[in-house]
Amino acid sequence: MSERRLQADIVVVGSGATGMPAAIVAHEAGCSVILVEAEADIGGHAITSGGNVPLGGGTSTQKKFGIEDSPELLFKDLTDWSVVEANGFPDYRYNDRQIIRAFAENSAPTYEWLLAHGVVFAPKAPDQRGGGAIGNSVPREMHAVPVSWPLVQTGAPAAPEERLSFSTGNGLMRPLEKAAREGGVEILLEHHMTALHREGRRAGGRVTGIAVEHRGERLDIAARRAVILATGGSSGNVEFRRMFDPRLTAEYCGLAGMPWSDQDASGELAAMDVGAALWGLYNHVGEFGATITKPGRIGTQYGYVNLHWQPGSKVFHKVRATGLRVADWQDVILVNMLGKRFYDETGKQFTANNYNMIRPYVHGHWLNAKTIKYDPNNWLNAAMAGIGDSENGGGPIWAIFDADAVKREKWDPRPPYVDFAEGFCFEAGTIEELAQKIRMKHQRVPMLPEILAATVSLYNNFVADGIDSDFAKPKPLYKIEKPPFYAAWATPVVHDTRAGLRINAQCQVVDMKGRVIPGLYCGGESAGGFSQHGLARATCQGFIAGRCAAKENPAS
Ligand SMILES: Cc1cc2nc3c(=O)[nH]c(=O)nc-3n(C[C@H](O)[C@H](O)[C@H](O)COP(=O)(O)OP(=O)(O)OC[C@H]3O[C@@H](n4cnc5c(N)ncnc54)[C@H](O)[C@@H]3O)c2cc1C
């Protein structure tokens, strides 16, 4: 590795939705930029994402379709105290006003910047598809399309008829990678930042660079102007996430976006080591949005509903199984580690505010919160409630079904669709034998055959009667009686991080005394103070951080 590679004006950590824009913007402002990425390919969770990008505030596309939006309206939407979910949790009440103001002012400019850097959006009006906490007033969701870029999920380009309609993060990240590489950003793959260097911390000294681990070798990379942390959050780090919610123990091992990239909290931990504060912690535990989700695919470790890994993907050897997509939760019962049902299987996960979710809506009006019909979606809370002992965490959740369900759902419960080898799916000739077979690292107590058999037998009686007397599942439809029988992993899936490092409007990281840490910036899921699902806040904060960091005076 040459000397040139170990020093730059700006060092960006992470090549996802925040890091890639930050690197390009800083480079185009005249800075030399090194971008380090822990994984063997760029993109982070952003490239695996649905590519639904809610940038608004008056974009050219909103104007083209006659949608009246402005930075002021966006700011008001994302700070409206009166918007609550059906369970009473408010989406926007705890957002940091300065951070939201900066987002509102820079949202439309970020959108135009993405267009100018090769991102193609579906040629249609903004809508609300795929959004979470994007504001109630107007549609803002745009959809990045793949054109002919290969998809990381399949290894192949999208079908020709879908190339301008299928929304995917591949269509966001590959054009940005091209712009970065062609522009001269130096991208170092398989370089995992392990620490930040800061001089004279007590005297308010600046961050001067990072330590990196590369294939077992340690390197130091100096940053003459600034380091930008774009490390994508902390939800994959069990001990870190349990500071927010003690229930989130190790069995929640199917992080959405993994195994393409992790959210190991390395950015947060390195910044905290040099004095950084955390911010907006309520946003991570508020029961709305997608910080934790009900799985949509069963029988695989990675069951996030909107991420369909297939054998052509270059990470499929880590994924191991595509999972079985559940079309109708009437086709299974869901049981905990003991083999007992715990909730109506058709129950839903938490919801999030989006365009037109509250009708009629008047900004900041007390009636918005008052007229919401209280109707909590508590499947997740019941799944994470545990088995009544003194251990935290709900343990594995298993979908139990029979050969008839396989036929109805048109499943093929064999590899590569399910993961028998690592214990995420089991098959047996009787229910009792099935319970005995469930042995895997997260099943910390054995499932007793007689308990599972009693659960199935009672459920079959509910089907005969047409009434679920235990959990009021709407008219239970199908008995579980035809062998072979299956137990498929259906444990909740950890997803977004919505709390992280304290930043200000310029995306500068702030310490425990409220002072800026000179030379350190952060955005996206590793930054706190802004509760919104994903790509808009990440790309916009990357845009802001890159521009502001480039204005730092170089260290002499
Ligand atoms: C399956 C899925 C679907 C989604 N769909 C949508 C959607 O449709 N719309 C939406 O708005 N949001 C969506 N999201 C959320 C969105 O993708 C993320 O919020 C967004 O990508 C976060 O951007 P980020 O830059 O913070 O992190 P990421 O995009 O994850 O990038 C972080 C990068 O940093 C790297 N990194 C981490 N630590 C280190 C280190 N120590 N050293 C070097 N590199 C490091 C990681 O490997 C990763 O590449 C989705 C997420 C997933 C997983």
Side-chain angles (χ1 to χ4, degrees), residues 25-26 35 121 131 137 154 162 171 179 245 249 251 262 298 308 310 330 337 341-342 350 366 409 424 506 547:
V25 168
L35 187 161
F121 289 95
S137 296
T154 63
E162 289 189 322
D245 184 347
T249 41
E251 65 271 32
D262 197 1
I298 59 174
H308 187 191
Q310 293 175 52
Q330 285 278 6
M337 265 188 297
R341 289 178 70 221
F342 54 89
F350 306 135
W366 62 275
E409 288 271 356
F424 289 87
Q506 289 75 43
R547 193 184 53 204

Side-chain angles (χ1 to χ4, degrees), residues 29 49 54 59 76 78 96 172 228 254 297 334 362 409 432 465 495-496 543 547 551:
S49 79
T59 66
K76 283 170 76 173
L78 301 189
D96 178 304
L172 177 70
I228 301 175
R297 295 169 199 284
L334 295 170
V362 180
E409 288 271 356
E432 288 82 354
D465 296 345
H495 192 344
D496 286 353
F543 178 79
R547 193 184 53 204
K551 291 183 188 150

Side-chain angles (χ1 to χ4, degrees), residues 198 201 269-278 509-513 515 517 520:
R198 184 178 183 190
R201 174 174 162 181
L269 290 168
M272 289 163 76
D273 270 352
V274 299
L278 297 178
V509 177
V510 174
D511 73 11
M512 287 298 295
K513 293 189 171 152
R515 301 171 308 196
I517 299 177
L520 186 61

Side-chain angles (χ1 to χ4, degrees), residues 480-504:
I480 298 170
E481 55 188 4
K482 184 163 180 199
F485 300 100
Y486 299 88
W489 185 256
T491 307
V493 175
V494 171
H495 192 344
D496 286 353
T497 309
R498 295 216 184 173
L501 297 172
R502 179 174 177 181
I503 59 169
N504 62 16

Side-chain angles (χ1 to χ4, degrees), residues 263-486:
Q263 296 192 338
D264 66 0
S266 50
E268 288 83 339
L269 290 168
M272 289 163 76
D273 270 352
V274 299
L278 297 178
W279 206 232
L281 305 190
Y282 159 83
N283 291 332
H284 197 61
V285 284
E287 292 182 357
F288 47 72
T291 49
I292 182 149
T293 65
K294 186 176 178 181
R297 295 169 199 284
I298 59 174
T300 174
Q301 181 177 352
Y302 302 103
Y304 180 59
V305 63
N306 292 325
L307 185 46
H308 187 191
W309 293 112
Q310 293 175 52
S313 168
K314 66 181 174 188
V315 296
F316 198 75
H317 62 288
K318 296 183 189 172
V319 181
R320 305 185 301 275
T322 66
L324 306 172
R325 176 79 197 245
V326 182
D328 183 356
W329 288 100
Q330 285 278 6
D331 283 321
V332 305
I333 60 167
L334 295 170
V335 301
N336 63 16
M337 265 188 297
L338 299 179
K340 294 183 175 175
R341 289 178 70 221
F342 54 89
Y343 206 78
D344 162 17
E345 286 77 6
T346 64
K348 299 208 163 38
Q349 62 187 43
F350 306 135
T351 49
N353 179 248
N354 201 341
Y355 167 58
N356 227 4
M357 300 283 277
I358 295 181
R359 280 177 288 178
Y361 170 69
V362 180
H363 170 260
H365 200 286
W366 62 275
L367 271 177
N368 294 333
K370 193 92 175 166
T371 53
I372 281 284
K373 185 172 172 296
Y374 186 72
D375 182 18
N377 291 296
N378 270 329
W379 185 88
L380 285 166
N381 286 320
M384 295 194 292
I387 55 172
D389 61 10
S390 52
E391 298 293 323
N392 286 297
I397 300 300
W398 298 102
I400 307 292
F401 54 93
D402 68 354
D404 284 335
V406 169
K407 209 184 275 175
R408 286 193 302 274
E409 288 271 356
K410 299 190 179 63
W411 285 333
D412 183 357
R414 293 176 301 175
Y417 305 104
V418 295
D419 185 1
F420 289 131
E422 295 292 323
F424 289 87
C425 193
F426 301 90
E427 176 187 335
T430 65
I431 291 290
E432 288 82 354
E433 200 191 324
L434 185 66
Q436 273 163 339
K437 276 193 167 176
I438 298 175
R439 299 270 187 277
M440 55 97 67
K441 62 182 174 183
H442 297 301
Q443 178 78 18
R444 61 182 167 75
V445 298
M447 188 183 291
L448 298 180
E450 58 273 23
I451 292 187
L452 185 63
T455 298
V456 170
S457 159
L458 183 63
Y459 184 77
N460 288 345
N461 289 341
F462 291 162
V463 173
D465 296 345
I467 293 171
D468 171 4
S469 326
D470 280 349
F471 299 105
K473 182 175 184 166
K475 195 167 172 7
L477 291 180
Y478 308 114
K479 290 188 179 179
I480 298 170
E481 55 188 4
K482 184 163 180 199
F485 300 100
Y486 299 88

